[in-house]
Amino acid sequence: MSLWARLQELPGELLRQCQLAYGEHFPMEVRCALSQWIEEKPWQDMDPDNPSFEMYAPSVVASLLEELQLKASTEDNFVMRLKLLEAVNSFKQNYGHNPCALIRVIKNCLATEMRIIQQAENCSRLASHMPGPHDPHTEITQQLDTLRRRTQEMEDELRRMIQIQESFVIQYQECQKLQAHYQQLSAQNTGQTNVELLNKMHNESKAMEQAIRQRISELREMRIAFSEKQQESANLLATLQTRVLDNELIKWKRAQQLGGNGVTFENNLDQIQEW
């Protein structure tokens, strides 16, 4: 079964998590339209952080845009066709000068998608081997563990963003120094040696500006992905909080009341407080 088919079988809450992972930077409509094309590509072999991959990234993105335009031209649904054409324009505008950033976005989306699908399938297999009804206490504990793990992952991502931003600041300052030196030399008398040096500095400045633009785009995409993951975690936490406070705590209060009438009362308040 294809990954896209497995995704469509997810329960509502997990499917919504996948939708949040995609968002506007890589719409779910594009994932749907290019499902076969996407899953045929060896994304695991593509490393957008490897400088040697930069020469191949434009051809991958060009192929994606070509396939997307073809799908849009043959799409019968008017709204879907507009969505796909909007995505084509958005990709060209946002990633035309930095195709590696788009590949990074796609890889992150697919990784999140696979993780959610595997979690759902693992839970399903586990449930099929568990006799009797689900234990809500175990489920809540597992969800808390998941949130702790996600929090740790986000802390690691935040540290990486800080490192990249610090590197960007240094790179930007070096570019400013080079441009200031270039302006200073330009104002002087231009001998042959000076002209050659100015040309060299001009080329270096342009290359640094291009690298800075790419780094800005990379940081922007990382921040968008981080923000969406943060929102997803907040939603999961809110759902879990509601379950503990509105379900488990109310059940405990009700059981306590019934205990006064002779019904066996299992006092699990310590467990609820720990959650």
Side-chain angles (χ1 to χ4, degrees), residues 179-192:
Q179 290 177 344
H181 191 197
Y182 175 81
Q183 294 294 335
Q184 183 181 6
L185 289 179
S186 298
Q188 299 175 1
N189 294 329
T190 56
Q192 180 62 31

Side-chain angles (χ1 to χ4, degrees), residues 67-112:
E67 188 72 16
L68 193 55
Q69 288 176 322
L70 178 61
K71 287 289 183 180
S73 65
T74 58
E75 176 59 51
D76 294 330
N77 186 292
F78 176 73
V79 176
M80 182 65 167
R81 184 164 67 250
L82 286 181
K83 285 283 188 180
L84 298 182
L85 292 175
E86 287 176 2
V88 170
N89 293 330
S90 175
F91 291 162
K92 288 180 178 179
Q93 180 179 354
N94 296 328
Y95 305 108
H97 298 293
N98 188 9
C100 285
L102 179 56
I103 292 175
R104 185 180 295 105
V105 167
I106 296 174
K107 291 191 64 170
N108 288 339
C109 289
L110 291 175
T112 301

Side-chain angles (χ1 to χ4, degrees), residues 1-262:
M1 184 183 296
S2 69
L3 189 62
W4 178 247
R6 290 158 65 189
L7 182 145
Q8 294 178 76
E9 293 184 351
L10 289 175
E13 178 62 26
L14 294 180
L15 186 58
R16 192 174 67 84
Q17 291 181 29
C18 280
Q19 290 174 330
L20 290 174
Y22 279 86
E24 296 181 358
H25 53 288
F26 192 76
M28 182 67 82
E29 290 85 358
V30 175
R31 176 67 177 92
C32 173
L34 301 186
S35 58
Q36 182 176 350
W37 184 91
I38 288 174
E39 294 182 33
E40 289 175 350
K41 292 293 176 286
W43 301 103
Q44 68 279 3
D45 298 331
M46 302 183 194
D47 184 4
D49 296 318
N50 188 339
S52 63
F53 179 71
E54 292 181 0
M55 66 178 67
Y56 302 105
S59 63
V60 176
V61 173
S63 177
L64 182 147
L65 292 175
E66 181 180 355
E67 188 72 16
L68 193 55
Q69 288 176 322
L70 178 61
K71 287 289 183 180
S73 65
T74 58
E75 176 59 51
D76 294 330
N77 186 292
F78 176 73
V79 176
M80 182 65 167
R81 184 164 67 250
L82 286 181
K83 285 283 188 180
L84 298 182
L85 292 175
E86 287 176 2
V88 170
N89 293 330
S90 175
F91 291 162
K92 288 180 178 179
Q93 180 179 354
N94 296 328
Y95 305 108
H97 298 293
N98 188 9
C100 285
L102 179 56
I103 292 175
R104 185 180 295 105
V105 167
I106 296 174
K107 291 191 64 170
N108 288 339
C109 289
L110 291 175
T112 301
E113 178 182 307
M114 175 59 76
R115 176 176 54 79
I116 292 174
I117 289 174
Q118 288 178 341
Q119 286 179 353
E121 292 177 347
N122 289 340
C123 289
S124 178
R125 283 193 293 268
L126 181 62
S128 65
H129 291 87
M130 291 178 61
H134 293 299
D135 179 5
H137 293 181
T138 301
E139 290 179 355
I140 291 174
T141 300
Q142 290 174 344
Q143 290 171 1
L144 284 170
D145 290 340
T146 299
L147 282 169
R148 292 189 188 98
R149 184 172 61 254
R150 288 175 61 87
T151 300
Q152 182 61 52
E153 291 173 356
M154 291 175 65
E155 289 177 356
D156 294 340
E157 292 175 8
L158 181 59
R159 279 193 293 270
R160 182 168 181 268
M161 278 196 295
I162 291 174
Q163 291 173 352
I164 293 177
Q165 184 161 335
E166 290 174 348
S167 173
F168 163 76
V169 171
I170 294 173
Q171 195 174 26
Y172 179 78
Q173 291 173 343
E174 290 297 325
C175 184
Q176 291 291 96
K177 291 178 182 178
L178 180 62
Q179 290 177 344
H181 191 197
Y182 175 81
Q183 294 294 335
Q184 183 181 6
L185 289 179
S186 298
Q188 299 175 1
N189 294 329
T190 56
Q192 180 62 31
T193 303
N194 204 22
V195 170
E196 293 177 357
L197 178 59
L198 285 173
N199 289 335
K200 180 181 178 182
M201 292 177 65
H202 177 74
N203 293 334
E204 290 179 357
S205 177
K206 290 298 181 183
M208 291 181 71
E209 288 176 358
Q210 176 67 18
I212 287 173
R213 283 194 293 269
Q214 291 180 355
R215 187 54 57 91
I216 291 173
S217 178
E218 178 184 358
L219 281 169
R220 182 173 61 249
E221 294 302 329
M222 291 182 69
R223 287 176 177 175
I224 291 174
F226 183 83
S227 176
E228 290 178 349
K229 190 171 184 179
Q230 190 177 42
Q231 182 61 50
E232 181 184 340
S233 294
N235 292 339
L236 291 173
L237 180 59
T239 301
L240 184 58
Q241 185 179 30
T242 299
R243 180 174 184 179
V244 172
L245 297 181
D246 293 351
N247 295 344
E248 297 301 322
L249 186 58
I250 290 176
K251 283 167 58 178
W252 176 85
K253 290 179 179 179
R254 179 59 178 165
Q256 185 185 43
Q257 293 172 351
L258 294 175
N261 297 327

